[in-house]
Amino acid sequence: MSRLDDIAAIRAEFPQLSRLIHGKPLVYFDNANTAQKPRAVIDAVSGYFTEHNANVARAVHTLGEEATSLYEAARDKLARFVGARSREEVVFTRGTTESVNLVAYSFLRPTLKPGDEILVSRMEHHANIVPWQLIAAETGARVVPAPITDTGELDVEGTVALMNERTQLVGLVHVSNALGTINPVATIIAAAKARGIPSLIDGSQAVPHFKVDVAALDCDFYVLTGHKLFAPTGTGALIAKREHLDAMPPFMGGGEMIRRVSFEGTTFNDPPHKFEPGTPNIAGFIGLGAAVDWLEAVGMDAIAAREARLRDTMRAALGEVDGLRLIGTARERAAVFSFVVEGAHAHDLATLLDHEGVAVRSGHHCTHPTMQFFGVPATVRASLSFYNTEDEIAAFVAALAKVRRMLA
Ligand code: PLP
Protein backbone atom coordinates (compact mmCIF):
# COMPACT_ATOMS: atom_id res chain seq x y z
CA MET A 1 0.00 0.00 0.00
CA SER A 2 1.47 3.30 -1.10
CA ARG A 3 0.13 6.81 -0.69
CA LEU A 4 0.28 6.98 -4.48
CA ASP A 5 -2.56 4.44 -4.67
CA ASP A 6 -4.88 7.35 -3.88
CA ILE A 7 -3.65 9.61 -6.65
CA ALA A 8 -6.59 12.01 -6.25
CA ALA A 9 -5.51 12.68 -2.65
CA ILE A 10 -1.90 13.16 -3.75
CA ARG A 11 -2.94 15.58 -6.49
CA ALA A 12 -5.06 17.51 -3.99
CA GLU A 13 -1.81 18.30 -2.17
CA PHE A 14 -0.61 20.20 -5.25
CA PRO A 15 -2.96 23.19 -5.51
CA GLN A 16 -1.65 24.24 -8.94
CA LEU A 17 -2.85 20.97 -10.50
CA SER A 18 -6.52 21.86 -10.09
CA ARG A 19 -6.26 25.01 -12.19
CA LEU A 20 -8.22 25.49 -15.36
CA ILE A 21 -6.21 26.81 -18.32
CA HIS A 22 -8.26 28.41 -21.10
CA GLY A 23 -11.25 26.72 -19.47
CA LYS A 24 -9.68 23.23 -19.62
CA PRO A 25 -8.18 21.17 -16.78
CA LEU A 26 -4.44 21.77 -16.62
CA VAL A 27 -2.33 18.86 -17.88
CA TYR A 28 1.08 19.73 -16.52
CA PHE A 29 3.66 17.87 -18.61
CA ASP A 30 6.54 20.31 -18.07
CA ASN A 31 8.04 18.73 -15.00
CA ALA A 32 11.57 18.54 -16.39
CA ASN A 33 11.45 22.31 -16.62
CA THR A 34 10.23 22.82 -13.09
CA ALA A 35 8.05 20.72 -10.81
CA GLN A 36 4.91 21.83 -9.00
CA LYS A 37 5.09 22.26 -5.23
CA PRO A 38 3.10 20.33 -2.63
CA ARG A 39 1.23 22.20 0.10
CA ALA A 40 3.83 20.96 2.61
CA VAL A 41 6.53 22.97 0.79
CA ILE A 42 4.35 26.06 0.40
CA ASP A 43 3.46 25.90 4.12
CA ALA A 44 7.10 25.46 5.17
CA VAL A 45 8.09 28.55 3.18
CA SER A 46 5.24 30.69 4.46
CA GLY A 47 5.74 29.28 7.99
CA TYR A 48 9.29 30.56 7.98
CA PHE A 49 8.14 34.05 7.04
CA THR A 50 5.15 34.13 9.37
CA GLU A 51 6.85 32.64 12.43
CA HIS A 52 10.63 32.41 12.27
CA ASN A 53 11.89 35.12 9.92
CA ALA A 54 15.48 35.94 10.91
CA ASN A 55 18.95 35.65 9.45
CA VAL A 56 20.88 32.42 9.89
CA ALA A 57 24.09 31.76 11.81
CA ARG A 58 24.36 35.32 13.11
CA ALA A 59 21.83 35.98 15.81
CA VAL A 60 21.62 34.39 19.25
CA HIS A 61 18.00 35.45 19.69
CA THR A 62 15.21 32.90 19.49
CA LEU A 63 14.08 33.67 15.95
CA GLY A 64 17.68 33.54 14.71
CA GLU A 65 18.22 30.18 16.36
CA GLU A 66 14.96 28.82 14.94
CA ALA A 67 15.81 30.00 11.44
CA THR A 68 19.31 28.53 11.69
CA SER A 69 18.12 25.20 12.95
CA LEU A 70 15.44 24.93 10.23
CA TYR A 71 17.98 25.87 7.56
CA GLU A 72 20.62 23.44 8.83
CA ALA A 73 17.99 20.72 9.27
CA ALA A 74 17.37 21.03 5.52
CA ARG A 75 21.02 20.16 4.97
CA ASP A 76 20.66 17.02 7.12
CA LYS A 77 17.53 16.04 5.22
CA LEU A 78 19.10 16.51 1.81
CA ALA A 79 22.27 14.67 2.91
CA ARG A 80 20.14 11.71 3.97
CA PHE A 81 17.95 11.89 0.86
CA VAL A 82 20.86 11.61 -1.59
CA GLY A 83 23.01 9.34 0.57
CA ALA A 84 25.82 11.84 1.15
CA ARG A 85 28.61 10.56 3.37
CA SER A 86 28.13 13.49 5.74
CA ARG A 87 26.23 16.77 6.04
CA GLU A 88 29.51 18.65 5.58
CA GLU A 89 29.66 17.34 2.01
CA VAL A 90 26.44 19.17 1.10
CA VAL A 91 27.11 22.73 -0.11
CA PHE A 92 23.97 24.77 -0.67
CA THR A 93 23.95 26.68 -3.97
CA ARG A 94 21.37 28.44 -6.12
CA GLY A 95 21.01 25.34 -8.26
CA THR A 96 22.84 23.05 -10.64
CA THR A 97 24.23 25.92 -12.69
CA GLU A 98 25.96 27.47 -9.70
CA SER A 99 27.14 24.06 -8.46
CA VAL A 100 28.89 23.28 -11.75
CA ASN A 101 30.44 26.74 -11.85
CA LEU A 102 31.69 26.28 -8.30
CA VAL A 103 33.48 23.07 -9.30
CA ALA A 104 34.78 24.63 -12.51
CA TYR A 105 36.24 27.74 -10.92
CA SER A 106 37.25 26.46 -7.51
CA PHE A 107 38.25 22.85 -8.17
CA LEU A 108 39.42 22.63 -11.76
CA ARG A 109 40.55 26.03 -12.98
CA PRO A 110 43.44 26.51 -10.51
CA THR A 111 45.27 23.46 -11.91
CA LEU A 112 44.12 23.47 -15.55
CA LYS A 113 46.92 23.69 -18.13
CA PRO A 114 47.09 24.11 -21.91
CA GLY A 115 46.33 20.79 -23.59
CA ASP A 116 44.27 19.47 -20.65
CA GLU A 117 40.88 17.97 -21.48
CA ILE A 118 37.45 18.04 -19.88
CA LEU A 119 35.28 15.21 -21.15
CA VAL A 120 31.51 15.78 -21.17
CA SER A 121 28.84 13.96 -23.15
CA ARG A 122 27.06 15.33 -26.19
CA MET A 123 23.77 15.14 -24.32
CA GLU A 124 24.71 17.60 -21.55
CA HIS A 125 22.62 20.57 -20.55
CA HIS A 126 24.45 23.83 -21.28
CA ALA A 127 25.03 24.12 -17.52
CA ASN A 128 27.46 21.20 -17.81
CA ILE A 129 29.19 22.51 -20.95
CA VAL A 130 29.54 26.29 -20.83
CA PRO A 131 31.32 26.63 -17.44
CA TRP A 132 33.97 24.17 -18.71
CA GLN A 133 34.30 26.10 -21.97
CA LEU A 134 34.85 29.31 -20.04
CA ILE A 135 37.70 27.92 -17.95
CA ALA A 136 39.12 26.05 -20.94
CA ALA A 137 39.28 29.30 -22.92
CA GLU A 138 41.16 30.97 -20.07
CA THR A 139 43.70 28.18 -19.63
CA GLY A 140 44.22 26.65 -23.07
CA ALA A 141 42.40 23.46 -22.10
CA ARG A 142 39.81 21.77 -24.32
CA VAL A 143 36.27 20.50 -23.81
CA VAL A 144 35.97 17.10 -25.51
CA PRO A 145 32.49 15.78 -26.41
CA ALA A 146 31.83 12.16 -25.47
CA PRO A 147 29.86 10.33 -28.17
CA ILE A 148 26.21 9.34 -28.09
CA THR A 149 24.30 6.95 -30.33
CA ASP A 150 21.32 7.42 -32.65
CA THR A 151 19.05 6.12 -29.89
CA GLY A 152 20.26 8.90 -27.59
CA GLU A 153 22.33 6.61 -25.38
CA LEU A 154 25.86 7.23 -24.22
CA ASP A 155 28.45 5.38 -26.29
CA VAL A 156 30.14 3.92 -23.22
CA GLU A 157 33.07 2.33 -25.04
CA GLY A 158 33.67 5.47 -27.08
CA THR A 159 33.52 7.59 -23.93
CA VAL A 160 35.95 5.43 -21.98
CA ALA A 161 38.29 5.42 -25.00
CA LEU A 162 38.48 9.22 -24.75
CA MET A 163 39.71 9.11 -21.13
CA ASN A 164 43.45 9.65 -21.13
CA GLU A 165 46.27 11.27 -19.18
CA ARG A 166 45.15 14.73 -20.34
CA THR A 167 41.59 14.27 -19.03
CA GLN A 168 41.13 16.32 -15.86
CA LEU A 169 37.42 15.73 -15.29
CA VAL A 170 34.56 13.67 -16.70
CA GLY A 171 31.08 15.22 -16.58
CA LEU A 172 27.89 13.30 -17.28
CA VAL A 173 24.19 13.97 -16.93
CA HIS A 174 22.45 11.26 -14.87
CA VAL A 175 19.14 11.64 -16.72
CA SER A 176 19.04 13.69 -19.92
CA ASN A 177 16.50 16.52 -19.77
CA ALA A 178 16.24 16.55 -23.57
CA LEU A 179 16.09 12.81 -24.31
CA GLY A 180 14.97 11.15 -21.10
CA THR A 181 17.94 8.76 -21.24
CA ILE A 182 19.10 7.34 -17.92
CA ASN A 183 22.87 7.09 -18.22
CA PRO A 184 25.06 4.30 -16.82
CA VAL A 185 26.74 6.74 -14.47
CA ALA A 186 28.21 4.07 -12.17
CA THR A 187 30.13 2.54 -15.10
CA ILE A 188 31.52 5.90 -16.19
CA ILE A 189 32.41 6.96 -12.63
CA ALA A 190 34.25 3.64 -12.09
CA ALA A 191 36.10 3.94 -15.42
CA ALA A 192 37.16 7.50 -14.59
CA LYS A 193 38.20 6.52 -11.08
CA ALA A 194 40.31 3.64 -12.38
CA ARG A 195 42.25 6.23 -14.40
CA GLY A 196 42.49 8.73 -11.52
CA ILE A 197 40.05 11.15 -13.19
CA PRO A 198 37.50 13.01 -11.05
CA SER A 199 33.86 12.78 -12.09
CA LEU A 200 30.90 15.14 -11.87
CA ILE A 201 27.34 13.87 -12.26
CA ASP A 202 24.49 16.24 -13.09
CA GLY A 203 21.60 14.78 -11.11
CA SER A 204 19.07 17.55 -11.83
CA GLN A 205 16.65 15.18 -13.58
CA ALA A 206 17.47 12.07 -11.56
CA VAL A 207 16.75 12.95 -7.93
CA PRO A 208 13.06 13.81 -8.56
CA HIS A 209 12.41 10.37 -10.06
CA PHE A 210 14.32 7.65 -8.24
CA LYS A 211 16.48 6.99 -5.21
CA VAL A 212 20.04 8.17 -5.70
CA ASP A 213 22.86 7.06 -3.42
CA VAL A 214 25.77 9.43 -3.94
CA ALA A 215 28.11 7.58 -1.57
CA ALA A 216 27.50 4.29 -3.40
CA LEU A 217 28.04 5.97 -6.79
CA ASP A 218 31.34 7.29 -5.41
CA CYS A 219 31.54 10.20 -7.83
CA ASP A 220 33.63 13.18 -6.79
CA PHE A 221 30.84 15.68 -7.38
CA TYR A 222 27.06 15.32 -7.66
CA VAL A 223 24.97 18.39 -8.47
CA LEU A 224 21.25 19.02 -8.25
CA THR A 225 18.68 21.79 -8.38
CA GLY A 226 15.81 22.25 -5.92
CA HIS A 227 13.02 23.54 -8.14
CA LYS A 228 12.85 20.30 -10.14
CA LEU A 229 12.69 18.47 -6.80
CA PHE A 230 9.37 20.10 -5.82
CA ALA A 231 11.18 22.84 -3.86
CA PRO A 232 11.50 26.60 -4.48
CA THR A 233 13.68 28.07 -7.21
CA GLY A 234 17.08 29.45 -6.22
CA THR A 235 17.97 26.35 -4.21
CA GLY A 236 20.29 23.49 -5.06
CA ALA A 237 23.36 21.67 -3.92
CA LEU A 238 26.81 20.45 -4.69
CA ILE A 239 27.59 17.17 -2.96
CA ALA A 240 31.34 16.72 -3.02
CA LYS A 241 33.95 14.53 -1.42
CA ARG A 242 35.24 16.15 1.74
CA GLU A 243 38.87 15.98 0.60
CA HIS A 244 38.01 18.15 -2.40
CA LEU A 245 36.03 20.67 -0.37
CA ASP A 246 38.92 20.95 2.11
CA ALA A 247 41.41 21.61 -0.68
CA MET A 248 39.27 23.91 -2.85
CA PRO A 249 39.64 27.67 -2.40
CA PRO A 250 36.44 29.66 -1.83
CA PHE A 251 34.47 30.51 -4.95
CA MET A 252 33.00 33.76 -3.65
CA GLY A 253 34.04 35.83 -0.66
CA GLY A 254 31.96 37.61 1.94
CA GLY A 255 30.33 37.15 5.30
CA GLU A 256 29.71 33.76 6.90
CA MET A 257 32.38 31.94 4.87
CA ILE A 258 35.24 33.24 7.02
CA ARG A 259 36.72 32.35 10.38
CA ARG A 260 38.61 35.61 10.89
CA VAL A 261 39.14 38.63 8.66
CA SER A 262 41.94 41.17 8.96
CA PHE A 263 43.70 43.30 6.40
CA GLU A 264 46.77 41.17 6.96
CA GLY A 265 44.92 38.05 5.89
CA THR A 266 41.67 36.13 6.19
CA THR A 267 41.08 32.57 7.30
CA PHE A 268 38.12 30.64 6.02
CA ASN A 269 35.36 28.68 7.62
CA ASP A 270 35.15 24.89 7.24
CA PRO A 271 33.16 23.31 4.41
CA PRO A 272 30.35 23.61 3.57
CA HIS A 273 30.18 27.18 5.00
CA LYS A 274 33.39 28.13 3.21
CA PHE A 275 31.35 28.04 -0.01
CA GLU A 276 28.21 29.77 1.27
CA PRO A 277 28.97 33.48 1.60
CA GLY A 278 26.28 36.00 2.41
CA THR A 279 22.66 35.52 3.39
CA PRO A 280 21.23 32.48 1.63
CA ASN A 281 17.74 31.75 0.32
CA ILE A 282 16.67 30.66 3.82
CA ALA A 283 12.97 30.20 3.04
CA GLY A 284 13.84 28.30 -0.14
CA PHE A 285 16.10 25.81 1.61
CA ILE A 286 13.54 25.27 4.37
CA GLY A 287 11.16 24.49 1.51
CA LEU A 288 13.74 22.09 0.07
CA GLY A 289 13.90 20.28 3.42
CA ALA A 290 10.10 20.01 3.40
CA ALA A 291 10.13 18.69 -0.18
CA VAL A 292 12.58 15.97 0.72
CA ASP A 293 10.54 14.99 3.80
CA TRP A 294 7.44 14.83 1.64
CA LEU A 295 9.13 12.66 -1.02
CA GLU A 296 10.50 10.28 1.60
CA ALA A 297 7.06 9.92 3.20
CA VAL A 298 5.60 8.99 -0.20
CA GLY A 299 8.61 6.80 -0.99
CA MET A 300 11.03 7.14 -3.90
CA ASP A 301 10.58 3.49 -4.89
CA ALA A 302 6.81 3.96 -5.15
CA ILE A 303 7.39 7.13 -7.17
CA ALA A 304 9.77 5.33 -9.54
CA ALA A 305 7.34 2.44 -9.99
CA ARG A 306 4.40 4.72 -10.79
CA GLU A 307 6.46 6.81 -13.19
CA ALA A 308 7.64 3.66 -14.98
CA ARG A 309 3.99 2.76 -15.65
CA LEU A 310 3.20 6.28 -16.86
CA ARG A 311 6.30 6.19 -19.06
CA ASP A 312 5.22 2.94 -20.71
CA THR A 313 1.67 4.20 -21.28
CA MET A 314 2.98 7.45 -22.75
CA ARG A 315 5.49 5.62 -24.96
CA ALA A 316 2.74 3.40 -26.36
CA ALA A 317 0.39 6.37 -26.87
CA LEU A 318 3.03 8.39 -28.73
CA GLY A 319 3.74 5.36 -30.93
CA GLU A 320 0.17 5.63 -32.25
CA VAL A 321 0.53 9.25 -33.41
CA ASP A 322 1.11 9.50 -37.17
CA GLY A 323 4.13 11.50 -38.27
CA LEU A 324 5.57 11.74 -34.77
CA ARG A 325 9.28 11.07 -34.40
CA LEU A 326 10.69 10.49 -30.95
CA ILE A 327 14.05 12.12 -30.38
CA GLY A 328 15.80 9.70 -28.07
CA THR A 329 14.65 6.11 -27.84
CA ALA A 330 16.94 4.80 -25.11
CA ARG A 331 15.95 1.58 -23.41
CA GLU A 332 16.72 2.97 -19.94
CA ARG A 333 14.65 6.11 -19.77
CA ALA A 334 12.62 8.41 -17.58
CA ALA A 335 9.09 9.57 -18.44
CA VAL A 336 10.53 12.43 -20.50
CA PHE A 337 9.68 12.44 -24.21
CA SER A 338 11.08 14.78 -26.85
CA PHE A 339 9.50 14.62 -30.26
CA VAL A 340 8.93 16.36 -33.56
CA VAL A 341 5.81 16.09 -35.68
CA GLU A 342 5.90 16.17 -39.47
CA GLY A 343 4.67 19.47 -40.88
CA ALA A 344 4.28 21.22 -37.53
CA HIS A 345 6.73 23.51 -35.80
CA ALA A 346 7.45 22.64 -32.17
CA HIS A 347 6.58 26.13 -30.89
CA ASP A 348 3.27 26.17 -32.79
CA LEU A 349 2.37 22.80 -31.32
CA ALA A 350 3.23 23.90 -27.79
CA THR A 351 1.26 27.15 -28.16
CA LEU A 352 -1.83 25.36 -29.47
CA LEU A 353 -1.50 22.64 -26.82
CA ASP A 354 -1.57 25.36 -24.18
CA HIS A 355 -4.98 26.38 -25.53
CA GLU A 356 -6.09 22.84 -24.77
CA GLY A 357 -4.79 23.13 -21.20
CA VAL A 358 -1.63 21.11 -21.87
CA ALA A 359 1.69 22.55 -20.66
CA VAL A 360 4.71 21.19 -22.53
CA ARG A 361 8.02 22.78 -23.38
CA SER A 362 9.21 23.46 -26.89
CA GLY A 363 12.68 24.53 -27.97
CA HIS A 364 16.21 23.29 -27.61
CA HIS A 365 15.95 22.59 -23.86
CA CYS A 366 19.37 24.21 -23.26
CA THR A 367 20.95 21.31 -25.16
CA HIS A 368 22.07 22.78 -28.50
CA PRO A 369 24.69 20.06 -29.12
CA THR A 370 22.05 17.35 -28.60
CA MET A 371 19.68 19.04 -31.03
CA GLN A 372 22.55 19.43 -33.53
CA PHE A 373 23.33 15.72 -33.21
CA PHE A 374 19.74 14.79 -34.06
CA GLY A 375 19.52 17.45 -36.80
CA VAL A 376 16.52 19.25 -35.35
CA PRO A 377 16.29 22.90 -34.27
CA ALA A 378 13.71 22.23 -31.58
CA THR A 379 11.48 19.55 -30.14
CA VAL A 380 8.31 19.38 -28.12
CA ARG A 381 9.04 17.85 -24.75
CA ALA A 382 6.43 16.21 -22.55
CA SER A 383 7.88 15.37 -19.15
CA LEU A 384 5.79 13.55 -16.58
CA SER A 385 5.86 13.23 -12.84
CA PHE A 386 4.24 10.81 -10.39
CA TYR A 387 1.23 13.12 -9.95
CA ASN A 388 0.31 12.80 -13.62
CA THR A 389 -2.32 10.28 -14.66
CA GLU A 390 -3.27 7.95 -17.49
CA ASP A 391 -6.32 10.17 -18.10
CA GLU A 392 -3.99 13.11 -18.64
CA ILE A 393 -2.00 11.07 -21.16
CA ALA A 394 -5.22 10.37 -23.03
CA ALA A 395 -6.18 14.07 -22.87
CA PHE A 396 -2.73 15.00 -24.14
CA VAL A 397 -2.90 12.64 -27.10
CA ALA A 398 -6.39 13.88 -28.00
CA ALA A 399 -5.20 17.49 -27.77
CA LEU A 400 -2.20 16.65 -29.96
CA ALA A 401 -4.44 15.12 -32.62
CA LYS A 402 -6.70 18.20 -32.52
CA VAL A 403 -3.89 20.76 -32.85
CA ARG A 404 -2.35 18.77 -35.69
CA ARG A 405 -5.57 18.98 -37.62
CA MET A 406 -5.55 22.73 -37.00
CA LEU A 407 -2.01 23.00 -38.38
CA ALA A 408 -2.64 20.75 -41.41
N1 PLP B 1 21.10 20.17 -15.90
C1 PLP B 1 19.97 19.61 -16.33
C2 PLP B 1 19.99 18.18 -16.80
C3 PLP B 1 18.78 20.34 -16.35
O1 PLP B 1 17.65 19.78 -16.79
C4 PLP B 1 18.80 21.69 -15.90
C5 PLP B 1 17.57 22.52 -15.96
O2 PLP B 1 16.86 22.49 -16.95
C6 PLP B 1 20.00 22.22 -15.44
C7 PLP B 1 21.13 21.44 -15.46
C8 PLP B 1 20.09 23.63 -14.94
O3 PLP B 1 19.39 23.77 -13.73
P1 PLP B 1 19.24 25.20 -13.07
O4 PLP B 1 18.79 26.14 -14.15
O5 PLP B 1 18.20 25.01 -12.01
O6 PLP B 1 20.57 25.58 -12.51
Side-chain angles (χ1 to χ4, degrees):
M1 180 70 193
S2 147
R3 281 186 60 198
L4 291 177
D5 292 340
D6 187 353
I7 199 65
I10 288 283
R11 286 176 63 85
E13 294 190 44
F14 291 80
Q16 321 82 8
L17 296 180
S18 56
R19 279 202 57 185
L20 294 180
I21 304 291
H22 302 295
K24 312 249 169 59
L26 167 65
V27 175
Y28 189 75
F29 279 4
D30 197 18
N31 294 286
N33 206 352
T34 200
Q36 298 300 344
K37 321 302 174 201
R39 180 65 71 192
V41 169
I42 299 166
D43 288 349
V45 171
S46 79
Y48 162 71
F49 285 121
T50 48
E51 286 181 57
H52 313 288
N53 181 54
N55 211 330
V56 290
R58 296 177 189 196
V60 293
H61 59 70
T62 302
L63 293 186
E65 283 182 356
E66 286 172 2
T68 305
S69 77
L70 286 167
Y71 176 75
E72 289 300 334
R75 195 187 310 276
D76 292 323
K77 291 172 185 185
L78 188 64
R80 192 185 61 227
F81 183 70
V82 298
R85 277 155 296 247
S86 74
R87 69 186 316 277
E88 285 75 26
E89 297 197 342
V90 178
V91 179
F92 281 159
T93 66
R94 283 185 300 140
T96 293
T97 303
E98 184 177 311
S99 300
V100 178
N101 276 277
L102 201 170
V103 178
Y105 282 93
S106 179
F107 174 74
L108 203 55
R109 188 180 178 280
T111 57
L112 215 52
K113 306 176 301 300
D116 281 348
E117 294 178 357
I118 303 157
L119 182 62
V120 296
S121 87
R122 256 187 209 282
M123 68 172 100
E124 297 309 305
H125 187 282
H126 296 164
N128 202 19
I129 299 176
V130 181
W132 310 120
Q133 288 178 327
L134 290 173
I135 60 166
E138 286 177 19
T139 56
R142 204 159 77 82
V143 179
V144 177
I148 61 175
T149 67
D150 291 343
T151 55
E153 288 164 304
L154 187 74
D155 173 348
V156 174
E157 245 176 65
T159 300
V160 174
L162 288 170
M163 297 179 188
N164 60 55
E165 64 290 347
R166 293 181 300 280
T167 314
Q168 302 302 323
L169 184 125
V170 175
L172 182 61
V173 69
H174 199 162
V175 176
S176 159
N177 62 307
L179 307 171
T181 311
I182 301 177
N183 278 313
V185 289
T187 307
I188 295 300
I189 294 165
K193 207 169 139 202
R195 291 159 180 79
I197 305 169
S199 54
L200 177 144
I201 303 301
D202 175 356
S204 310
Q205 302 287 352
V207 286
H209 301 300
F210 51 81
K211 177 90 192 116
V212 170
D213 186 338
V214 173
L217 283 176
D218 203 29
C219 51
D220 293 82
F221 303 100
Y222 195 92
V223 297
L224 60 90
T225 201
H227 67 101
K228 298 182 202 289
L229 193 59
F230 313 95
T233 51
T235 64
L238 162 67
I239 295 104
K241 287 190 174 169
R242 179 66 196 252
E243 73 227 46
H244 296 318
L245 293 180
D246 283 336
M248 283 157 62
F251 177 40
M252 287 184 286
E256 291 312 320
M257 47 76 73
I258 47 82
R259 187 163 290 136
R260 185 165 186 284
V261 178
S262 78
F263 282 102
E264 285 65 52
T266 290
T267 50
F268 302 115
N269 210 333
D270 291 330
H273 305 291
K274 181 165 86 171
F275 302 101
E276 296 178 7
T279 302
N281 179 0
I282 303 166
F285 285 106
I286 292 171
L288 179 59
V292 160
D293 276 346
W294 192 91
L295 288 166
E296 282 185 335
V298 172
M300 289 311 292
D301 289 344
I303 285 175
R306 178 174 170 84
E307 289 186 359
R309 288 196 298 276
L310 291 170
R311 175 201 60 203
D312 294 345
T313 307
M314 183 74 168
R315 177 85 171 84
L318 290 176
E320 300 294 308
V321 180
D322 273 350
L324 183 147
R325 175 183 158 217
L326 265 187
I327 304 296
T329 49
R331 270 192 307 143
E332 290 292 322
R333 66 174 308 139
V336 174
F337 295 92
S338 258
F339 59 86
V340 290
V341 177
E342 225 172 73
H345 195 282
H347 291 305
D348 294 340
L349 281 171
T351 307
L352 290 173
L353 282 170
D354 177 60
H355 286 273
E356 301 301 314
V358 177
V360 290
R361 184 165 172 195
S362 59
H364 52 69
H365 319 294
C366 298
T367 55
H368 278 162
T370 317
M371 298 292 118
Q372 286 153 13
F373 177 82
F374 284 98
V376 290
T379 70
V380 176
R381 182 186 67 191
S383 52
L384 280 60
S385 185
F386 58 84
Y387 47 54
N388 292 125
T389 65
E390 321 251 311
D391 288 349
E392 287 184 312
I393 295 175
F396 164 75
V397 173
L400 190 58
K402 181 172 170 191
V403 305
R404 275 200 73 192
R405 282 195 299 277
M406 290 161 79
L407 287 169

